[in-house]
Short mmCIF file of all heavy atoms in Angstrom, two decimals:
data_model
loop_
_atom_site.label_atom_id
_atom_site.label_comp_id
_atom_site.label_asym_id
_atom_site.label_seq_id
_atom_site.Cartn_x
_atom_site.Cartn_y
_atom_site.Cartn_z
N HIS P 1 -13.84 131.45 13.58
CA HIS P 1 -13.64 132.74 14.22
C HIS P 1 -12.32 132.84 14.96
O HIS P 1 -11.84 133.93 15.28
CB HIS P 1 -14.77 133.02 15.21
CG HIS P 1 -16.11 133.08 14.58
ND1 HIS P 1 -17.32 132.93 15.23
CD2 HIS P 1 -16.44 133.35 13.27
CE1 HIS P 1 -18.31 133.08 14.39
NE2 HIS P 1 -17.82 133.30 13.20
N ASP P 2 -11.71 131.68 15.30
CA ASP P 2 -10.39 131.73 15.95
C ASP P 2 -9.25 131.75 14.96
O ASP P 2 -8.07 131.66 15.35
CB ASP P 2 -10.21 130.50 16.90
CG ASP P 2 -10.32 129.17 16.15
OD1 ASP P 2 -10.43 129.13 14.93
OD2 ASP P 2 -10.32 128.13 16.85
N GLY P 3 -9.58 131.89 13.69
CA GLY P 3 -8.55 132.04 12.66
C GLY P 3 -8.10 130.75 12.01
O GLY P 3 -7.39 130.79 10.98
N THR P 4 -8.51 129.61 12.50
CA THR P 4 -8.10 128.32 11.92
C THR P 4 -8.96 128.00 10.72
O THR P 4 -10.11 128.42 10.62
CB THR P 4 -8.22 127.18 13.00
OG1 THR P 4 -9.60 127.11 13.39
CG2 THR P 4 -7.36 127.49 14.19
N PRO P 5 -8.40 127.28 9.75
CA PRO P 5 -9.17 126.97 8.55
C PRO P 5 -10.25 125.91 8.88
O PRO P 5 -10.10 125.07 9.76
CB PRO P 5 -8.11 126.41 7.59
CG PRO P 5 -7.02 125.89 8.48
CD PRO P 5 -7.00 126.81 9.69
N VAL P 6 -11.33 125.98 8.14
CA VAL P 6 -12.41 124.97 8.23
C VAL P 6 -11.93 123.78 7.41
O VAL P 6 -11.70 123.88 6.19
CB VAL P 6 -13.70 125.49 7.69
CG1 VAL P 6 -14.78 124.39 7.71
CG2 VAL P 6 -14.21 126.67 8.50
N LEU P 7 -11.77 122.62 8.03
CA LEU P 7 -11.31 121.43 7.37
C LEU P 7 -12.41 120.39 7.32
O LEU P 7 -13.38 120.40 8.14
CB LEU P 7 -10.10 120.84 8.08
CG LEU P 7 -8.91 121.78 8.22
CD1 LEU P 7 -7.79 121.09 9.02
CD2 LEU P 7 -8.37 122.23 6.86
N ALA P 8 -12.30 119.49 6.41
CA ALA P 8 -13.33 118.43 6.24
C ALA P 8 -13.52 117.60 7.55
O ALA P 8 -14.63 117.22 7.86
CB ALA P 8 -12.97 117.53 5.07
N ARG P 9 -12.42 117.36 8.25
CA ARG P 9 -12.56 116.57 9.46
C ARG P 9 -13.32 117.32 10.54
O ARG P 9 -14.02 116.69 11.35
CB ARG P 9 -11.19 116.18 9.98
CG ARG P 9 -10.30 117.31 10.45
CD ARG P 9 -9.02 116.71 11.15
NE ARG P 9 -8.11 117.71 11.56
CZ ARG P 9 -7.06 118.16 10.85
NH1 ARG P 9 -6.83 117.69 9.65
NH2 ARG P 9 -6.27 119.10 11.37
N ASP P 10 -13.31 118.71 10.54
CA ASP P 10 -14.16 119.45 11.43
C ASP P 10 -15.62 119.18 11.09
O ASP P 10 -16.47 119.02 11.98
CB ASP P 10 -13.86 120.94 11.29
CG ASP P 10 -12.48 121.35 11.67
OD1 ASP P 10 -12.04 121.02 12.77
OD2 ASP P 10 -11.80 122.00 10.85
N CYS P 11 -15.89 119.15 9.82
CA CYS P 11 -17.30 118.97 9.36
C CYS P 11 -17.78 117.54 9.66
O CYS P 11 -18.91 117.37 10.04
CB CYS P 11 -17.42 119.29 7.87
SG CYS P 11 -16.97 120.99 7.46
N VAL P 12 -16.90 116.57 9.46
CA VAL P 12 -17.28 115.17 9.78
C VAL P 12 -17.65 115.04 11.24
O VAL P 12 -18.68 114.43 11.61
CB VAL P 12 -16.16 114.23 9.40
CG1 VAL P 12 -16.40 112.82 10.03
CG2 VAL P 12 -16.02 114.10 7.87
N ALA P 13 -16.84 115.64 12.13
CA ALA P 13 -17.13 115.58 13.57
C ALA P 13 -18.40 116.30 13.89
O ALA P 13 -19.20 115.86 14.70
CB ALA P 13 -15.96 116.14 14.36
N SER P 14 -18.61 117.45 13.23
CA SER P 14 -19.88 118.22 13.47
C SER P 14 -21.08 117.46 12.99
O SER P 14 -22.13 117.47 13.68
CB SER P 14 -19.76 119.56 12.74
OG SER P 14 -18.69 120.32 13.22
N LEU P 15 -20.98 116.82 11.87
CA LEU P 15 -22.09 116.02 11.31
C LEU P 15 -22.44 114.86 12.28
O LEU P 15 -23.64 114.58 12.52
CB LEU P 15 -21.79 115.49 9.96
CG LEU P 15 -21.74 116.53 8.84
CD1 LEU P 15 -21.09 115.92 7.59
CD2 LEU P 15 -23.16 117.01 8.49
N ARG P 16 -21.46 114.21 12.79
CA ARG P 16 -21.70 113.07 13.71
C ARG P 16 -22.43 113.55 14.97
O ARG P 16 -23.38 112.89 15.43
CB ARG P 16 -20.40 112.38 14.04
CG ARG P 16 -19.75 111.66 12.90
CD ARG P 16 -18.56 110.82 13.36
NE ARG P 16 -17.83 110.24 12.26
CZ ARG P 16 -18.24 109.14 11.64
NH1 ARG P 16 -19.35 108.52 12.02
NH2 ARG P 16 -17.52 108.66 10.62
N ARG P 17 -22.01 114.69 15.48
CA ARG P 17 -22.61 115.21 16.71
C ARG P 17 -24.06 115.63 16.46
O ARG P 17 -24.94 115.26 17.25
CB ARG P 17 -21.80 116.43 17.20
CG ARG P 17 -22.32 117.04 18.48
CD ARG P 17 -21.36 118.08 19.06
NE ARG P 17 -21.80 118.53 20.36
CZ ARG P 17 -22.50 119.65 20.59
NH1 ARG P 17 -22.84 120.43 19.58
NH2 ARG P 17 -22.84 119.97 21.83
N TRP P 18 -24.28 116.37 15.37
CA TRP P 18 -25.64 116.84 15.07
C TRP P 18 -26.59 115.67 14.82
O TRP P 18 -27.74 115.69 15.24
CB TRP P 18 -25.57 117.72 13.81
CG TRP P 18 -26.81 117.93 13.05
CD1 TRP P 18 -27.88 118.73 13.41
CD2 TRP P 18 -27.23 117.25 11.83
NE1 TRP P 18 -28.89 118.65 12.48
CE2 TRP P 18 -28.51 117.76 11.49
CE3 TRP P 18 -26.63 116.32 11.00
CZ2 TRP P 18 -29.18 117.32 10.35
CZ3 TRP P 18 -27.30 115.94 9.87
CH2 TRP P 18 -28.56 116.40 9.57
N ALA P 19 -26.13 114.65 14.11
CA ALA P 19 -27.01 113.51 13.75
C ALA P 19 -27.48 112.75 14.95
O ALA P 19 -28.53 112.05 14.88
CB ALA P 19 -26.25 112.57 12.81
N LYS P 20 -26.82 112.85 16.09
CA LYS P 20 -27.26 112.21 17.29
C LYS P 20 -28.45 112.90 17.96
O LYS P 20 -29.11 112.40 18.84
CB LYS P 20 -26.12 112.07 18.29
CG LYS P 20 -25.03 111.11 17.84
CD LYS P 20 -23.85 111.08 18.80
CE LYS P 20 -22.79 110.14 18.31
NZ LYS P 20 -21.58 110.14 19.19
N ARG P 21 -28.73 114.16 17.50
CA ARG P 21 -29.87 114.91 18.05
C ARG P 21 -30.99 115.12 17.05
O ARG P 21 -32.11 115.41 17.46
CB ARG P 21 -29.37 116.29 18.56
CG ARG P 21 -28.37 116.24 19.69
CD ARG P 21 -28.85 115.51 20.90
NE ARG P 21 -30.13 115.97 21.41
CZ ARG P 21 -30.30 116.88 22.37
NH1 ARG P 21 -29.23 117.44 22.93
NH2 ARG P 21 -31.49 117.26 22.78
N ASP P 22 -30.64 115.06 15.77
CA ASP P 22 -31.63 115.39 14.75
C ASP P 22 -32.23 114.12 14.12
O ASP P 22 -31.46 113.25 13.67
CB ASP P 22 -30.99 116.23 13.66
CG ASP P 22 -31.96 116.68 12.62
OD1 ASP P 22 -32.60 117.69 12.82
OD2 ASP P 22 -32.09 116.00 11.59
N PRO P 23 -33.57 113.98 14.07
CA PRO P 23 -34.15 112.75 13.51
C PRO P 23 -33.78 112.52 12.05
O PRO P 23 -33.54 111.37 11.63
CB PRO P 23 -35.66 112.98 13.66
CG PRO P 23 -35.78 113.97 14.78
CD PRO P 23 -34.59 114.85 14.65
N PHE P 24 -33.77 113.59 11.22
CA PHE P 24 -33.40 113.48 9.82
C PHE P 24 -31.93 113.03 9.73
O PHE P 24 -31.55 112.14 8.96
CB PHE P 24 -33.63 114.79 9.11
CG PHE P 24 -33.88 114.68 7.66
CD1 PHE P 24 -34.39 115.81 6.96
CD2 PHE P 24 -33.63 113.54 6.88
CE1 PHE P 24 -34.63 115.75 5.58
CE2 PHE P 24 -33.87 113.48 5.56
CZ PHE P 24 -34.33 114.62 4.88
N GLY P 25 -31.08 113.67 10.51
CA GLY P 25 -29.67 113.31 10.54
C GLY P 25 -29.49 111.87 11.03
O GLY P 25 -28.61 111.16 10.51
N GLY P 26 -30.26 111.45 11.98
CA GLY P 26 -30.17 110.06 12.46
C GLY P 26 -30.52 109.09 11.36
O GLY P 26 -29.85 108.04 11.22
N SER P 27 -31.55 109.40 10.56
CA SER P 27 -31.89 108.51 9.43
C SER P 27 -30.78 108.47 8.41
O SER P 27 -30.52 107.41 7.84
CB SER P 27 -33.19 108.99 8.82
OG SER P 27 -34.26 108.89 9.73
N LEU P 28 -30.14 109.61 8.15
CA LEU P 28 -29.02 109.65 7.22
C LEU P 28 -27.85 108.77 7.70
O LEU P 28 -27.29 107.98 6.95
CB LEU P 28 -28.53 111.10 7.02
CG LEU P 28 -27.25 111.27 6.25
CD1 LEU P 28 -27.33 110.70 4.84
CD2 LEU P 28 -26.90 112.76 6.15
N MET P 29 -27.58 108.89 9.02
CA MET P 29 -26.45 108.07 9.54
C MET P 29 -26.78 106.58 9.56
O MET P 29 -25.91 105.74 9.40
CB MET P 29 -26.10 108.56 10.94
CG MET P 29 -25.48 109.94 10.98
SD MET P 29 -24.08 110.18 9.84
CE MET P 29 -22.93 109.00 10.52
N GLU P 30 -28.07 106.24 9.72
CA GLU P 30 -28.47 104.80 9.63
C GLU P 30 -28.23 104.29 8.26
O GLU P 30 -27.96 103.04 8.08
CB GLU P 30 -29.94 104.66 10.00
CG GLU P 30 -30.21 104.84 11.48
CD GLU P 30 -31.71 104.83 11.78
OE1 GLU P 30 -32.50 104.61 10.83
OE2 GLU P 30 -32.10 105.07 12.93
N ALA P 31 -28.28 105.15 7.25
CA ALA P 31 -28.08 104.73 5.84
C ALA P 31 -26.60 104.80 5.44
O ALA P 31 -26.26 104.49 4.31
CB ALA P 31 -28.89 105.58 4.89
N THR P 32 -25.73 105.27 6.38
CA THR P 32 -24.33 105.50 6.08
C THR P 32 -23.46 104.39 6.57
O THR P 32 -23.46 104.02 7.75
CB THR P 32 -23.89 106.84 6.68
OG1 THR P 32 -24.70 107.90 6.15
CG2 THR P 32 -22.43 107.15 6.39
N ASP P 33 -22.64 103.86 5.68
CA ASP P 33 -21.62 102.87 6.06
C ASP P 33 -20.39 103.56 6.62
O ASP P 33 -19.78 103.08 7.58
CB ASP P 33 -21.21 102.01 4.87
CG ASP P 33 -21.88 100.61 4.85
OD1 ASP P 33 -22.26 100.20 5.96
OD2 ASP P 33 -22.03 100.05 3.79
N GLU P 34 -19.97 104.65 5.95
CA GLU P 34 -18.75 105.36 6.36
C GLU P 34 -18.88 106.85 6.05
O GLU P 34 -19.33 107.25 4.99
CB GLU P 34 -17.56 104.78 5.57
CG GLU P 34 -16.20 105.48 5.93
CD GLU P 34 -15.12 105.03 4.97
OE1 GLU P 34 -15.40 104.21 4.05
OE2 GLU P 34 -14.00 105.51 5.15
N LEU P 35 -18.50 107.65 7.04
CA LEU P 35 -18.42 109.10 6.87
C LEU P 35 -16.97 109.48 7.17
O LEU P 35 -16.47 109.25 8.26
CB LEU P 35 -19.37 109.83 7.83
CG LEU P 35 -19.30 111.34 7.89
CD1 LEU P 35 -19.54 111.98 6.54
CD2 LEU P 35 -20.28 111.87 8.92
N SER P 36 -16.30 110.08 6.20
CA SER P 36 -14.84 110.31 6.33
C SER P 36 -14.43 111.61 5.67
O SER P 36 -15.22 112.27 4.95
CB SER P 36 -14.08 109.13 5.74
OG SER P 36 -14.33 109.04 4.35
N ALA P 37 -13.18 111.95 5.89
CA ALA P 37 -12.55 113.17 5.27
C ALA P 37 -11.29 112.71 4.60
O ALA P 37 -10.18 112.75 5.19
CB ALA P 37 -12.28 114.20 6.33
N PRO P 38 -11.33 112.26 3.33
CA PRO P 38 -10.15 111.78 2.64
C PRO P 38 -9.11 112.86 2.42
O PRO P 38 -7.92 112.55 2.24
CB PRO P 38 -10.67 111.25 1.33
CG PRO P 38 -12.01 111.87 1.15
CD PRO P 38 -12.55 112.09 2.51
N ASP P 39 -9.51 114.14 2.42
CA ASP P 39 -8.53 115.23 2.37
C ASP P 39 -9.19 116.43 3.05
O ASP P 39 -10.30 116.36 3.54
CB ASP P 39 -8.08 115.54 0.93
CG ASP P 39 -9.25 115.89 0.03
OD1 ASP P 39 -10.01 116.84 0.37
OD2 ASP P 39 -9.44 115.29 -1.04
N ASP P 40 -8.48 117.54 3.08
CA ASP P 40 -8.89 118.72 3.85
C ASP P 40 -10.21 119.34 3.35
O ASP P 40 -10.88 120.07 4.08
CB ASP P 40 -7.80 119.78 3.92
CG ASP P 40 -6.65 119.38 4.85
OD1 ASP P 40 -6.83 118.41 5.60
OD2 ASP P 40 -5.62 120.05 4.79
N ARG P 41 -10.53 119.10 2.09
CA ARG P 41 -11.72 119.78 1.52
C ARG P 41 -12.82 118.81 1.13
O ARG P 41 -13.85 119.25 0.61
CB ARG P 41 -11.29 120.66 0.34
CG ARG P 41 -10.42 121.87 0.71
CD ARG P 41 -10.16 122.72 -0.55
NE ARG P 41 -11.35 123.14 -1.19
CZ ARG P 41 -11.43 123.43 -2.52
NH1 ARG P 41 -10.31 123.26 -3.27
NH2 ARG P 41 -12.54 123.82 -3.06
N THR P 42 -12.62 117.52 1.34
CA THR P 42 -13.61 116.55 0.89
C THR P 42 -14.26 115.83 2.07
O THR P 42 -13.60 115.28 2.90
CB THR P 42 -12.95 115.50 -0.07
OG1 THR P 42 -12.33 116.18 -1.16
CG2 THR P 42 -14.01 114.54 -0.56
N ILE P 43 -15.61 115.84 2.08
CA ILE P 43 -16.42 115.09 3.03
C ILE P 43 -17.05 113.96 2.24
O ILE P 43 -17.77 114.18 1.27
CB ILE P 43 -17.50 115.98 3.64
CG1 ILE P 43 -16.91 117.20 4.30
CG2 ILE P 43 -18.34 115.20 4.64
CD1 ILE P 43 -17.88 118.36 4.49
N ARG P 44 -16.81 112.71 2.66
CA ARG P 44 -17.29 111.58 1.86
C ARG P 44 -18.29 110.74 2.69
O ARG P 44 -18.05 110.34 3.81
CB ARG P 44 -16.08 110.70 1.49
CG ARG P 44 -16.50 109.40 0.75
CD ARG P 44 -15.29 108.75 0.11
NE ARG P 44 -14.74 109.63 -0.95
CZ ARG P 44 -13.54 109.46 -1.47
NH1 ARG P 44 -12.72 108.49 -1.04
NH2 ARG P 44 -13.11 110.26 -2.41
#
């Protein structure tokens, strides 16, 4: 809404924050070795 593009690193940070509150997300992060943004449109 502030006009900036949505980038993968925004999503990575958002996922990490959400997973600390959501039980399903917490289980996903327990199974995750690495969550990264190799480029602006890719969440890995």
Side-chain angles (χ1 to χ4, degrees):
H1 298 160
D2 61 5
T4 59
V6 177
L7 303 177
R9 65 173 179 267
D10 297 307
C11 299
V12 166
S14 298
L15 289 167
R16 291 188 185 281
R17 181 172 188 261
W18 160 79
K20 292 177 181 176
R21 297 304 306 268
D22 183 85
F24 205 166
S27 296
L28 171 58
M29 293 308 297
E30 288 174 4
T32 300
D33 258 336
E34 179 188 1
L35 174 58
S36 62
D39 58 55
D40 286 348
R41 292 182 57 207
T42 303
I43 303 160
R44 176 167 295 164

